Amino acid sequence: MEKDRPTPNSQLPTPKQALRWLAWSAWVLGFGIWVLGLCAAAPATAQGRGGARGAGGADNQLKQVLYDMADSIGMLRNANEVDRIGSMNYWATGTIISGGQACKVVDYKASVNWILKGMRVDYKCEGSPQRHVEVVRDNLAWNEAEPGKGGTAAAAAANERALLLWTLPAGAIKAANDAGAAAKVTTENGKTVVSYPIASLKADVKVTLNKDSHIEQVESRMGAVTTVTTYEEYGDWNGADYLSDVMFPRRIVQKRGTMTITDLTITKTNTYNPYVIMPLPDSVKPR
């Protein structure tokens, strides 16, 4: 490339040399513009993400922490980095408390739609033929004979079911964002803690993060009831041929006092925003 560049002592370039010189000059000019643009963009990017930590006090710190939480589990998608997790399914084994009794679950599947503010949990207890289909949508709850059929109102369970929806990792991040200025960031025992209310449930939530900005514990207080949920071993559990880079905990444990009410191991997820709906049964629709 250098051998064709004209010098002050050279003869006038041939047309071929002139074309090469113009091409070389255009490349240098373009490269220089790219470098200048990259340097100019770097401070803006840092300010929008990591640069917020030291720049604007508590509000910017909260924004940064919420950004890191969402980014750590793959919620933020496309060039604008917006939340693209609207729904998901997950399957699990383990034990729960059902109807006041310990239940080793069979065929456990949970279907979530945060846009509809709804969740359906479908399972059987080992040794029993009865199918449990427990649904919540917004402030309404009901039980179904099978998904989408045979709705029977279960109003007393509405808040507890909704709390599960909004304390799953993605749900907790959405709820913290929705809390706006009421959300606070503190540090406890060297760990970042985000506290916020869920006004619709009259609940207070405290979320503790691990070093990867994953939620490792959610402590929720609703009335006189305190529930502590722990999450462990985040990963993409969609399957090797269906990975989405959306992280979800492998283990979910919930306790109230010394009683364990949920101890689940996730066997599979579908985080590609599957089709999840909760049509209101006629028996549940407000009159």
Side-chain angles (χ1 to χ4, degrees):
M1 191 170 185
E2 285 290 327
K3 65 182 179 181
D4 288 328
R5 291 178 60 191
T7 66
N9 297 321
S10 66
Q11 299 295 320
L12 289 174
T14 66
K16 184 176 181 180
Q17 289 175 323
L19 287 173
R20 288 183 178 178
W21 166 248
L22 289 172
W24 181 85
S25 300
W27 182 88
V28 170
L29 179 62
F31 180 76
I33 293 172
W34 178 81
V35 170
L36 289 173
L38 184 65
C39 293
T45 302
Q47 179 66 26
R49 299 178 193 173
R53 284 192 190 279
D59 184 55
N60 280 339
Q61 183 190 22
L62 174 63
K63 289 178 180 178
Q64 183 66 55
V65 169
L66 294 178
Y67 172 91
D68 290 342
M69 292 167 66
D71 188 49
S72 75
I73 64 169
M75 288 177 70
L76 306 178
R77 299 300 170 110
N78 76 31
N80 294 321
E81 295 188 306
V82 294
D83 176 5
R84 289 298 192 194
I85 297 183
S87 64
M88 71 171 294
N89 293 322
Y90 63 91
W91 292 259
T93 60
T95 59
I96 62 173
I97 298 297
S98 177
Q101 302 295 319
C103 165
K104 184 176 181 180
V105 296
V106 178
D107 299 329
Y108 183 101
K109 177 185 178 183
S111 302
V112 181
N113 188 320
W114 285 286
I115 298 170
L116 295 179
K117 302 179 181 179
M119 183 172 185
R120 175 183 287 107
V121 178
D122 183 358
Y123 64 94
K124 293 180 181 178
C125 295
E126 187 177 68
S128 172
Q130 183 180 355
R131 186 175 185 178
H132 302 264
V133 184
E134 302 167 350
V135 191
V136 64
R137 179 172 168 182
D138 204 356
N139 61 346
L140 300 172
W142 64 95
N143 299 325
E144 298 172 338
E146 58 183 273
K149 296 182 179 180
T152 303
N159 283 358
E160 182 175 348
R161 294 180 187 179
L163 187 63
L164 174 58
L165 169 72
W166 295 114
T167 53
L168 289 170
I173 296 168
K174 293 172 189 286
N177 276 286
D178 289 345
K184 308 295 180 186
V185 177
T186 57
T187 301
E188 296 183 12
N189 299 318
K191 294 187 176 184
T192 300
V193 172
V194 181
S195 303
Y196 56 92
I198 301 179
S200 61
L201 301 177
K202 298 180 179 178
D204 293 305
V205 177
K206 183 170 77 171
V207 169
T208 303
L209 309 184
N210 65 16
K211 62 181 178 60
D212 298 315
S213 296
H214 293 152
I215 297 173
E216 66 177 15
Q217 179 175 290
V218 179
E219 180 182 301
S220 57
R221 291 187 174 91
M222 189 166 59
V225 179
T226 298
T227 305
V228 178
T229 306
T230 56
Y231 297 117
E232 299 177 4
E233 195 183 346
Y234 281 78
D236 185 342
W237 311 120
N238 276 14
D241 60 345
Y242 202 54
L243 297 177
S244 68
D245 291 327
V246 173
M247 304 293 115
F248 193 72
R250 172 78 84 175
R251 184 101 184 275
I252 302 174
V253 177
Q254 288 185 313
K255 292 187 176 183
R256 288 183 183 153
T258 59
M259 177 182 290
T260 299
I261 60 173
T262 300
D263 188 343
L264 295 176
T265 298
I266 307 306
T267 57
K268 184 176 68 171
T269 58
N270 178 351
T271 52
Y272 276 106
N273 289 321
Y275 183 65
V276 175
I277 60 171
M278 296 86 182
L280 288 178
D282 290 338
S283 60
V284 177
K285 290 179 180 178
R287 301 293 180 181

